[in-house]
Amino acid sequence: MIDPLPGATDLAVTDTSRTDSEFAFELRTCRWAERAWPPTGERRDADSIVVARQLGTKRRRWDTIVLECDREALERRARFGPDRLDSDLLHVVRNAPDEWTYYRDALPHPGYPWRYVREAIHRADDRGILETRRDGNRIQIRRKWPYPDWVERIVAIENKPDLDRSAARALGSQLEYDVAMGLADEVWVATRRTDERVEPILFEDLPVEAGVLALDPGPPSAEVTWHPRSLAVDEPGTRIIERPDGGARDGSAARFEYVDRDAKAEKRLAIAERAYERGWRSFVETMRPDCRHFELRFQPGNQFVPRCRARGCAQTAAECSGSCPEFEPEPPAWRTRGWPIEGGPGARCRQLLEERRRRRRPEQ
């Protein structure tokens, strides 16, 4: 354990699991999932887990995403680099041929102008994940490696440490959307364990397809209080667009539309790629660790949680910004010290979390 500078990162063990925010609870859920997933049974040696947070689609964002991956396929995915492959890049690398071929003959029509495909080809070439050459005015492409089928299952978790009535109402409609759409293989709700004979969340009006985890954040452990059902990810999904809002006596029908299975498969892969790139420790990228009040507190379970000295709490990313009235830059003298906080405590916080995020992904 280091002796930190005044106002620098505090590595003392602290237990704030009973008083911290939903954001801090979310981080602990991610750490528990990284160490102990799946909650039932044991992890197979051939499996790997990738955990990310605050990811989703235009209409739905999940607190925690758990990717259950084939270990060998995940290692082959690492050849394409740590950055995500967006839909345009996926269209190119997944359909690139083994032999040199004119790109319009090799790739299926994308449904949008070919000039965007050419841009994606150049981006893939710049990243070193596709081979290109010119034959006169024509661009020919050839794959470097086949894109692996590395994602086996996607699990979505909603974190609700304190489930008041308003939160339960919103959560019910969100889970109904998840079940109808079927983008994730399973959906769960994680709530703080109360040690009551029956956990209060089981009395809420939630879809029976959603599982329930009672989480004790410090040290992180969880008990399954309701087992989830597997969702039909290979079948067309139902997107709920509008619900009746006339109260309990409103019997009008909801508006919805169907989503075909191919569109769902593409969206699932896009979510997985974003999770692979971001992980869950990327919260520091939207905070200000260069503030003299920012610190990482060491929690049970070998985890670091951000904390603001000025506010005396685990701050959220929205609160920890340059517009915060308590923001004060680190003194320049802090940045001139050597190990273990070379470059200043803020730089060391970023480095520490990035190192931990990188360990969860195979190297190229």
Side-chain angles (χ1 to χ4, degrees):
M1 182 174 297
I2 67 171
D3 181 18
L5 295 171
T9 304
D10 186 356
L11 298 180
V13 175
T14 294
D15 184 8
T16 58
S17 61
R18 297 295 173 184
T19 59
D20 54 42
S21 64
E22 183 174 325
F23 171 73
F25 181 85
E26 183 176 290
L27 297 185
R28 292 199 177 95
T29 301
C30 292
R31 181 55 173 162
W32 166 81
E34 199 172 61
R35 294 167 62 92
W37 192 268
T40 56
E42 296 183 359
R43 188 183 307 176
R44 300 181 307 169
D45 292 339
D47 292 341
S48 289
I49 299 297
V50 175
V51 181
R53 54 176 294 274
Q54 292 300 318
L55 283 179
T57 66
K58 179 180 179 180
R59 295 177 175 87
R60 181 73 171 97
R61 179 178 292 269
W62 293 299
D63 294 335
T64 301
I65 293 286
V66 180
L67 303 181
E68 298 179 3
C69 311
D70 178 85
R71 187 184 300 274
E72 293 184 358
L74 184 62
E75 292 175 354
R76 295 196 298 272
R77 163 60 185 83
R79 299 170 178 172
F80 294 87
D83 297 333
R84 70 183 175 102
L85 302 180
D86 59 30
S87 59
D88 292 342
L89 289 175
L90 285 171
H91 177 73
V92 171
V93 300
R94 295 178 70 192
N95 296 290
D98 293 324
E99 302 296 334
W100 290 110
T101 309
Y102 176 48
Y103 77 95
R104 288 202 185 190
D105 295 335
L107 305 177
H109 195 285
Y112 48 82
W114 283 104
R115 65 176 181 275
Y116 298 114
V117 178
R118 291 195 298 271
E119 292 175 3
I121 289 173
H122 292 312
R123 286 196 290 130
D125 186 31
D126 292 340
R127 289 177 54 168
I129 58 177
L130 182 74
E131 293 183 323
T132 65
R133 73 179 185 184
R134 283 192 173 273
D135 181 17
N137 292 327
R138 291 190 163 199
I139 300 176
Q140 296 184 340
I141 61 173
R142 184 175 67 180
R143 71 167 49 165
K144 295 191 70 172
W145 316 283
Y147 184 84
D149 185 14
W150 58 281
V151 182
E152 294 185 339
R153 298 174 78 243
I154 298 178
V155 180
I157 304 176
E158 284 296 312
N159 298 303
K160 295 296 179 186
D162 300 309
L163 199 67
D164 59 25
R165 184 170 300 177
S166 61
R169 285 198 300 266
L171 181 60
S173 62
Q174 291 170 347
L175 294 177
E176 287 175 0
Y177 179 94
D178 295 339
V179 172
M181 187 66 177
L183 273 177
D185 294 83
E186 289 178 357
V187 291
W188 293 78
V189 180
T191 188
R192 182 178 287 120
R193 181 183 295 166
T194 63
D195 294 327
E196 297 184 17
R197 188 171 65 88
V198 179
E199 292 291 338
I201 191 172
L202 295 179
F203 296 108
E204 301 294 340
D205 185 17
L206 302 179
V208 297
E209 292 86 353
V212 177
L213 290 167
L215 188 70
D216 186 357
S221 62
E223 177 185 358
V224 178
T225 60
W226 188 270
H227 290 267
R229 297 181 184 177
S230 296
L231 303 181
V233 295
D234 296 326
E235 299 297 328
T238 303
R239 179 184 293 129
I240 301 173
I241 302 175
E242 184 180 359
R243 299 172 179 272
D245 57 0
R249 298 184 179 181
D250 188 352
S252 57
R255 292 178 58 239
F256 64 91
E257 63 183 6
Y258 290 113
V259 180
D260 65 69
R261 65 190 69 186
D262 292 337
K264 283 177 54 175
E266 292 179 3
K267 184 61 67 175
R268 280 167 54 86
L269 187 55
I271 293 172
E273 281 287 338
R274 291 171 59 201
Y276 180 87
E277 176 188 51
R278 182 185 297 183
W280 64 271
R281 294 183 176 88
S282 59
F283 60 84
V284 74
E285 296 172 0
T286 56
M287 289 185 166
R288 294 301 302 268
D290 57 334
C291 174
R292 69 180 302 153
H293 301 300
F294 184 94
E295 62 183 4
L296 288 179
R297 287 287 181 93
F298 187 75
Q299 300 290 341
N302 192 24
Q303 179 181 6
F304 290 101
V305 175
R307 189 169 179 84
C308 177
R309 287 179 181 267
R311 293 175 176 265
C313 65
Q315 76 279 28
T316 66
E319 294 170 336
C320 187
S321 63
S323 60
C324 174
E326 305 292 341
F327 173 75
E328 294 184 46
E330 293 175 342
W334 289 7
R335 302 174 185 176
T336 61
R337 301 297 182 93
W339 187 91
I341 53 173
E342 185 174 359
R348 180 53 183 153
C349 287
R350 291 181 182 274
Q351 181 183 359
L352 178 65
L353 293 174
E354 179 56 35
E355 289 173 352
R356 289 196 163 201
R357 177 168 53 169
R358 191 162 51 245
R359 289 179 201 157
R360 306 307 302 183
R361 298 180 305 202
E363 297 293 337
Q364 296 186 58

